[in-house]
Amino acid sequence: MSEQGSIYLHIDYKIGHYVKIVMDEVFGIENFRNDITRIKCNPKNFNRLGYGNLKDLILFYTKSSNPIWNEPREKYTEKDFEKLFPKMDKQGRRYTTVPIHAPGETENGKSNKPFKGVLPPKGRHWRTDVETLAQWDKDGLIEWSSTGNPRKIIFADEREGKRVQDIWEFKDPQYPTYPTEKNPDLLDLIIRTSSSENSIVLDCFCGSGTTLKSAQTNGRKWIGIDQSVFAIKATKNKLESVEGDLFVAKPDYEFEELEESPAANSL
Ligand SMILES: C[S@@+](CC[C@H](N)C(=O)[O-])C[C@H]1O[C@@H](n2cnc3c(N)ncnc32)[C@H](O)[C@@H]1O
C-alpha cells in the first residue's frame, strides 16, 4: 500500500472486534483512525434474544501519519441551519457568532493589546492580532453586544457544511445485484475522501464490483479481486453500466484468471 494510502475494512459486529486486534498488529494502533458505525437497515421486529441489530462497523486505518485526506463535508439540514445559525441579518442571511478570545495570556504578542479600547478577559488572549480584528470590524464581521463584548460573525452560506462524524447511515440496496452489494454512496464517500484522481483503489473482495464502479466514476484507477464466478459476472455487469461520457470514461479493463481458479472455465 502507498505511504499515503488508507484501508477501510467493513465487517459484521460479531467479528469486528477480533479483526480490530489483527488490524492493530498489521497497520499499527497509531494508524487506527475510526471505528465507524454503519447503520445498515431500518429497525426490525425479529423475535430474538437481545436488542435489534441496525449496524455493522468499518475499521479505518491509514498507512502513515500523512495520508491522502480530502476533508468531506455533509450538507446542513434545515434543522441544522436553525440550530447552528439562529440569527438573521437585515439582508436575511443566517449567521451565528463565536468568541474572538481563547484561553491563555500572551505577554508580548499582538493578541493581548486593546481592541477598540477593550482588553481580552482575564486569563485569555485575542484569537488573532488586533489589526485583523480591526479589519473584521471594518468588514462588518464583528457583532458588539449591548455590554460592549465583541464576537465574530459566521455566515451560514459561507460554510461548506458540517464535518462528517463516525456514525454513517448508508442502507444496503433494496434490490441488490449481488447478495453483499454495498451502497454506492458509502463507497463514493470513502474513495473521494481517501484517494486522489489517478490513485489506485483495490477491492480484494470485490463482489458486485460496486467499489470498482465508484473508483471509475470518480476518476481513479482500480484493481478488483474475487474468487467467485458469480462475483466476476456481477462485476462485469456493473462495469458495463458505466456510461462513457465527457466526464466519466468507459472502463477499459482486463481480467486475469488464476490457474487454480475453479471458476475460470465457466465465465
Ligand atoms: C462481502 S463480499 C464483498 C462485497 C463487495 N465489496 C460488494 O460491494 O459487493 C465478499 C466477497 O469476497 C469474496 N471472497 C471471499 N473469500 C475470498 C478469497 N479468499 N479470495 C477472493 N475473494 C474472496 C466472496 O466471493 C465475496 O464476493
Side-chain angles (χ1 to χ4, degrees):
M1 192 197 296
S2 143
E3 281 302 303
Q4 285 197 291
S6 296
I7 179 163
Y8 290 77
L9 192 139
H10 192 180
I11 193 93
D12 184 86
Y13 77 100
K14 289 188 202 124
I15 195 82
H17 303 89
Y18 301 103
V19 177
K20 162 103 179 27
I21 292 164
V22 178
M23 294 287 281
D24 282 345
E25 201 174 314
V26 175
F27 291 97
I29 197 162
E30 70 281 8
N31 292 317
F32 168 64
R33 305 288 162 194
N34 289 103
D35 161 357
I36 298 160
T37 294
R38 199 271 307 212
I39 312 285
K40 59 181 178 178
C41 58
N42 291 323
K44 294 198 170 92
N45 272 327
F46 293 152
N47 230 351
R48 69 199 282 265
L49 186 66
Y51 303 103
N53 168 234
L54 291 183
K55 56 134 187 170
D56 47 27
L57 55 134
I58 301 173
L59 299 173
F60 166 37
Y61 288 75
T62 56
K63 179 71 190 296
S64 70
S65 56
N66 181 33
I68 295 174
W69 180 256
N70 305 311
E71 178 77 38
R73 290 277 164 189
E74 197 179 338
K75 280 198 177 123
Y76 292 118
T77 61
E78 266 315 306
K79 242 181 166 179
D80 290 329
F81 278 128
E82 282 163 24
K83 198 170 153 204
L84 300 172
F85 303 95
K87 300 182 169 191
M88 191 91 79
D89 74 3
K90 284 183 194 131
Q91 283 74 42
R93 286 177 85 191
R94 276 199 172 278
Y95 72 96
T96 187
T97 60
V98 293
I100 55 170
H101 45 72
E105 278 178 16
T106 49
E107 288 196 350
N108 300 316
K110 288 180 169 181
S111 58
N112 66 340
K113 299 220 167 89
F115 165 50
K116 290 204 145 180
V118 180
L119 277 169
K122 201 166 169 34
R124 301 182 71 89
H125 65 283
W126 298 126
R127 271 173 40 204
T128 184
D129 55 79
V130 284
E131 286 81 10
T132 307
L133 293 179
Q135 187 60 46
W136 286 352
D137 197 31
K138 212 169 140 199
D139 295 342
L141 295 175
I142 300 280
E143 184 175 82
W144 294 85
S145 74
S146 53
T147 54
N149 177 29
R151 287 172 70 90
K152 170 102 197 287
I153 293 175
I154 309 285
F155 287 109
D157 56 19
E158 287 175 353
R159 308 297 283 191
E160 278 182 66
K162 53 188 173 179
R163 274 209 93 185
V164 175
Q165 305 295 317
D166 63 356
I167 299 183
W168 296 1
E169 184 168 333
F170 289 109
K171 302 219 173 99
D172 289 332
Q174 222 180 340
Y175 304 105
T177 55
Y178 190 78
T180 53
E181 185 170 344
K182 298 202 192 311
N183 185 315
D185 295 335
L186 178 147
L187 292 161
D188 280 344
L189 171 61
I190 290 174
I191 286 172
R192 286 176 193 157
T193 304
S194 289
S195 69
S196 309
E197 279 211 22
N198 287 322
S199 293
I200 301 173
V201 174
L202 169 70
D203 187 349
C204 44
F205 302 98
C206 68
S208 62
T210 314
T211 311
L212 312 186
K213 179 173 176 176
S214 173
Q216 178 75 25
T217 52
N218 284 295
R220 275 63 169 164
K221 297 184 175 125
W222 48 262
I223 301 169
I225 303 171
D226 206 289
Q227 67 177 9
S228 149
V229 64
F230 299 109
I232 301 301
K233 276 186 183 160
T235 295
K236 268 181 150 175
N237 290 338
K238 185 72 75 182
L239 293 172
E240 273 162 21
S241 73
V242 178
E243 287 299 320
D245 65 25
L246 272 178
F247 304 104
V248 181
K250 224 173 163 42
D252 175 19
Y253 57 89
E254 280 174 16
F255 278 103
E256 279 192 26
E257 292 166 12
L258 294 179
E259 267 171 31
E260 65 272 26
S261 166
N265 293 332
S266 50
L267 270 180

